[in-house]
Amino acid sequence: MERELALEIVRVTELAALSAARWMGRGDKIQADGAATTAMRAMFDSVSVRGTVVIGEGEMDEAPMLYIGEQVGNGQGPEVDVAVDPLEGTELVAKGLNNALAVIAIANKGNLLHAPDMYMEKLAVGPALAGKLSLTDPLETTLQRAADILDKPLSNLTIMILDRDRHRKQIETLRRVGVRIKFLSDGDVAGAMAPALSESGIDMYVGSGGAPEGVLAAAALQCLGGELQGKLLPSNQEEYDRCIAMGLTDPHKVLTMEDMIGRDDVIFAATGITPGEFLNGVRYLPDLRAETHSIVMRAKTRTIRFIQSIHYLPNKNILNDIG
């Protein structure tokens, strides 16, 4: 993929963030998600790719745009798989809470896993632990091994997990072992990325979250030198059959980075909508301007760019058309 695509796709996440941010704290996650999706889809028309959405807003009969299988881009440039989450953390925006993002990952055609919309058990780590732990081990074993590798006592490990009832047993284990816990209210992609960002202070991310978000996080971690292992958690026969229909012959297999994002290059971009662990949210300025803070990364070069942009809102025609 051309390196110029990195800066092209961050323009798409910026516009989605600007559109969603107008709904911050207004209690309507549906409108916020719709605004982000509409802006992201419209902005994609300016990107020089022949893209196919493999992770999006749902199947064609469920989503009017950015649906799975939709063709995006201006029809020029390389053929790519596209994974999007126009608003990662709809509840966060609706309630004015931290860590909401607009997210995109792209890879050469045929590389991104078409992940079904169900839960995925996840283990995400940074570079120091990449390739050294296993999702199949008991959590206690994983924690002790991580502490040994990092040369720190268990009590100094910090583990991030979504604050959900389904994680009750994992949380009990974490507390019994004596590690520090940082709970996440929402924002599965940001949570899985955290262990690979040294400033976060997070050593490991565990628990279950959305499978599509797992693929997006895997793309980010590939660029950051980290690792995500995942295992799909079909809850009934219908979900199991859906995995089979999507080409996953063993739905219970532990998925590696290669399974989720392939071996080739991948580009990841995210723009903060509300303030977060590593990205600032959209900030409105005098004179009809707004500031965005984004990250864009490429796996091939391991280049990480933080981009701070000032936007003059009257010139954002797509935003004005959305209303």
Side-chain angles (χ1 to χ4, degrees), residues 175-191:
R175 286 179 169 155
R176 184 176 67 253
V177 170
V179 299
R180 291 190 290 250
I181 306 173
K182 186 165 186 179
F183 288 106
L184 193 66
S185 61
D186 282 286
D188 199 25
V189 174

Side-chain angles (χ1 to χ4, degrees), residues 233-309:
L233 299 172
S235 60
N236 51 44
Q237 189 63 43
E238 181 182 353
E239 289 192 350
Y240 186 92
D241 293 342
R242 179 171 169 78
C243 294
I244 299 297
M246 295 171 73
L248 298 162
T249 55
D250 180 6
H252 297 303
K253 169 189 173 182
V254 172
L255 299 169
T256 66
M257 298 279 279
E258 183 176 333
D259 293 324
M260 289 184 274
I261 60 172
R263 293 183 176 181
D264 293 338
D265 198 10
V266 61
I267 296 173
F268 175 91
T271 300
I273 301 172
T274 59
E277 299 289 335
F278 64 99
L279 289 176
N280 295 324
V282 174
R283 189 165 67 98
Y284 292 98
L285 305 173
D287 302 322
L288 302 176
R289 296 175 301 150
E291 178 184 276
T292 57
H293 193 211
S294 306
I295 188 172
V296 59
M297 307 180 286
R298 186 181 181 194
K300 183 177 181 179
T301 60
R302 295 279 290 274
T303 300
I304 302 169
R305 290 183 172 90
F306 286 94
I307 300 175
Q308 183 176 352
S309 303

Side-chain angles (χ1 to χ4, degrees), residues 24-25 89 91-100 185-186 273-275:
M24 187 180 70
E91 288 281 358
L92 298 175
V93 170
K95 296 178 179 178
L97 301 175
N98 290 352
N99 286 316
S185 61
D186 282 286
I273 301 172
T274 59

